[in-house]
Amino acid sequence: MQLPIKSILVFHAAARAGSISRAAEELRVTPSAVSQQIQLLEGQLGVTLLAKAGRGIVLTEAGERYFSMIADQIERIEDATGTIRGFRSVTTLTVRATPTLSNKWLLPRLSTLLDKHPDLELRLDGTNEPTDFNQEAVDIEIRHGDGRWPGLFVEGVADEQFYPVCSPDYAPAGSLKPEDLLDHRLIHSAKSQAQWNGWFPLAGVAPKERWRRILFDRSHMAIDAAVRSMGIALESTLMMGDEIESGRLVCPVASPPVVQITTQWIVCPRDHLRQKKVRIFLDWLRLERETWQTTYPLGSLSR
């Protein structure tokens, strides 16, 4: 029997993409051509490899096993083909992340990823809009929320700690008591999961019905406002590491309560985890997370 190379490659593309239409777009053929090649392969193997699931597809048990057996070999063939052609192939990875995480945490670290993987072309889409993975060509997302998205792979980025912060010109570190903050302008990040009306009871202070405040719809704007001495913000160490390290922000409260929440989550369809580029990004992100966690252990700004 002649080895059905074309059908195998088409099956690999469809299984990796999790969609007949996306595989057709990648291969520059019609969806019906993709379906036909997969049917030919299933006929030769005598098993069903793919099944419909909503607008996408899922691998059957036989399909999962077959894909795991051929994936590494096909990736090696792709690498070898690129080398023989005299160039190293470029792989595009599309990542969607919230604007604040993109600007404050991802961007300062991306050079370590790109230096280690020069063939990786990264597209970073900074938005708060959640991805519709059935309609959008996004490989992996870092999403703000509570982590409850059934049917998707979900992993927390880090346990964030929220502290009152301000410019040292506005108030020196440890110079205020929690109740003193009621007399200051408080900076609010409207979409944050940590809010002042929840922080004050933890500090043993009854919040006022009204206080001086300034509101922003993005945390990076609230952080920048605090650096500019506009008031005191309640923000995450994950987002303001550079400002803390440089001394542009300090915690003005002596021994503040520690508010620990996971607000940023790695999200993608489970079949995306089969893609080498997604695995590379995840491995890099987890290593960066470990490094960050050693810099900001629990209670690091409460001392």
Side-chain angles (χ1 to χ4, degrees):
M1 180 187 297
Q2 185 177 3
L3 190 63
I5 291 293
K6 183 177 180 180
S7 296
I8 293 172
L9 293 175
V10 170
F11 163 72
H12 176 267
R16 184 177 60 187
S19 165
I20 295 292
S21 59
R22 286 204 295 268
E25 183 179 349
E26 176 185 328
L27 298 170
R28 298 182 181 180
V29 298
T30 64
S32 61
V34 171
S35 297
Q36 184 180 22
Q37 288 296 325
I38 292 172
Q39 289 170 6
L40 288 172
L41 181 61
E42 289 176 331
Q44 291 207 27
L45 296 177
V47 295
T48 300
L49 299 172
L50 299 175
K52 290 184 178 180
R55 296 179 180 177
I57 55 174
V58 294
L59 293 172
T60 64
E61 183 177 351
E64 287 275 6
R65 184 176 181 185
Y66 190 57
F67 182 86
S68 67
M69 294 170 70
I70 68 172
D72 289 343
Q73 285 80 1
I74 289 180
E75 287 178 0
R76 283 200 289 269
I77 290 172
E78 291 172 346
D79 290 343
T81 303
T83 300
I84 292 299
R85 283 176 176 168
F87 66 89
R88 303 177 74 185
S89 60
V90 174
T91 300
T92 300
L93 173 71
T94 301
V95 178
R96 175 169 289 180
T98 59
T100 297
L101 188 79
S102 297
N103 288 324
K104 297 292 188 182
W105 200 83
L106 277 178
L107 189 58
R109 293 169 168 81
L110 282 178
S111 60
T112 61
L113 172 66
L114 299 177
D115 289 346
K116 188 174 181 180
H117 300 281
D119 296 338
L120 190 65
E121 182 178 84
L122 180 70
R123 175 179 175 179
L124 180 57
D125 181 9
T127 177
N128 278 318
E129 294 299 319
T131 302
D132 181 350
F133 287 101
N134 289 320
Q135 299 293 326
E136 299 177 85
V138 174
D139 296 305
I140 193 164
E141 178 186 1
I142 302 178
R143 184 180 296 182
H144 179 267
D146 59 12
R148 291 181 289 185
W149 298 289
L152 295 173
F153 167 81
V154 179
E155 178 180 323
V157 172
D159 292 331
E160 303 169 55
Q161 300 171 51
F162 287 78
Y163 292 98
V165 290
C166 65
S167 165
D169 296 331
Y170 184 90
S175 63
L176 301 177
K177 298 177 182 178
E179 57 267 27
D180 295 336
L181 269 60
L182 295 171
D183 298 323
H184 291 265
R185 180 185 292 113
L186 300 180
I187 300 170
H188 293 249
S189 180
K191 296 180 180 179
S192 175
Q193 293 182 38
Q195 296 289 338
W196 283 113
N197 58 2
W199 183 87
F200 279 114
L202 293 175
V205 178
K208 291 181 178 179
E209 291 185 8
R210 297 285 298 174
W211 47 45
R212 289 187 296 154
R213 63 181 185 169
I214 179 171
L215 295 93
F216 297 96
D217 70 343
R218 298 286 188 271
S219 287
H220 66 87
M221 298 169 69
I223 292 169
D224 291 345
V227 169
R228 288 169 171 77
S229 296
M230 293 183 186
I232 302 173
L234 181 63
E235 284 298 336
S236 161
T237 49
L238 187 69
M239 305 301 184
M240 57 186 181
D242 285 349
E243 288 80 5
I244 293 170
E245 288 295 319
S246 66
R248 287 177 290 161
L249 287 180
V250 297
C251 179
V253 180
S255 301
V258 178
V259 179
Q260 189 167 356
I261 313 172
T262 300
T263 72
Q264 304 287 330
W265 304 84
I266 305 162
V267 178
C268 70
R270 292 188 179 276
D271 55 26
H272 284 203
L273 300 176
R274 300 190 187 100
Q275 300 179 34
K276 183 178 180 180
K277 60 184 178 180
V278 172
R279 297 197 304 270
I280 286 173
F281 181 78
L282 272 176
D283 290 344
W284 168 81
L285 186 62
R286 288 162 177 161
L287 184 60
E288 290 294 330
R289 174 177 61 194
E290 291 175 9
T291 302
W292 177 84
Q293 286 175 331
T294 61
T295 305
Y296 293 99
L298 183 63
S300 56
L301 292 190
S302 296
R303 299 164 185 171

